[in-house]
Amino acid sequence: MNRCFLLFFVLLAVSCSENATGISSKNADSAKIIESINVVRTKFNDSIRFLNQKNIWGDLSGRKTLTFTDDFVTFKGNVDFIKVDRDQYDVMGKAVSGKNKVSLSGVVRRVSDKHLNFEGRISQVINGKKFVRTRRTTFMDEGKGKFWRLQNKVNGEGFVEYIDIYY
């Protein structure tokens, strides 16, 4: 019985040592290695995230000139481009001249050097007549100047009008 007691205390003493509790210098070293690998992975992922946010077609952020022209009326205003993603912008602006007004708000995605895809709302009041465009449409650089022109040029009454964003 005394021998069993003695054996029990020896086992208890051995099991309470540092190596028996799982804390060893090998485990601490591997934890440091894992942490350093995680730091490197985070830096690598951040650099990829930065590259994925970089514009392909150049930055359009800022204020641009918005013009409206038809056979009888021409007036100007401003539109603001706020970058939200790679080559994608929230846009909001208006042009006003007396009772005539054109406003646009929505999202523009630049898909080429000459094309801006617009999804949102273009509303206008010209000579007391309202017209609203809500379909997806394109602004295109037609090579006639430094502007993108709305390609949906025909209004609700069948007349051609030009809405341009100058760059």
Side-chain angles (χ1 to χ4, degrees), residues 68 70 73-75 94-104 121-133 155 157 161 163:
F68 175 87
D70 69 4
V73 181
T74 299
F75 55 93
K94 64 182 175 180
V96 178
S97 175
K99 293 182 179 181
N100 297 324
K101 177 175 108 173
V102 172
S103 64
L104 64 99
R121 180 181 176 94
I122 301 173
S123 60
Q124 61 191 55
V125 178
I126 306 297
N127 298 327
K129 296 181 182 176
K130 282 181 128 177
F131 182 60
V132 177
R133 294 174 171 97
N155 66 14
E157 295 183 357
E161 54 196 17
I163 298 175

Side-chain angles (χ1 to χ4, degrees), residues 141-152:
D141 179 357
E142 297 175 338
K144 297 178 182 177
K146 291 197 170 267
F147 58 86
W148 294 284
R149 177 163 283 165
L150 180 68
Q151 295 303 294
N152 181 12

Side-chain angles (χ1 to χ4, degrees), residues 5-6 8 27 42 46 64 80 87 97 100 105 108 115 123 126 132 154 161 167:
F5 229 24
L6 183 60
F8 176 72
N27 287 344
T42 301
D46 288 345
K64 312 284 185 232
D80 294 318
D87 290 315
S97 175
N100 297 324
S105 64
V108 164
H115 294 86
S123 60
I126 306 297
V132 177
V154 180
E161 54 196 17
Y167 54 91

Side-chain angles (χ1 to χ4, degrees), residues 13-55:
V14 170
S15 66
C16 291
S17 70
E18 272 189 28
N19 289 339
T21 60
I23 302 172
S24 68
S25 62
K26 288 182 182 179
N27 287 344
D29 290 341
S30 65
K32 288 179 184 176
I33 291 170
I34 290 171
E35 182 61 30
S36 67
I37 291 171
N38 287 339
V39 168
V40 171
R41 283 182 182 163
T42 301
K43 287 181 182 178
F44 183 71
N45 290 340
D46 288 345
S47 68
I48 290 172
R49 189 175 300 115
F50 174 75
L51 289 174
N52 285 338
Q53 290 294 318
K54 191 175 179 183
N55 287 334

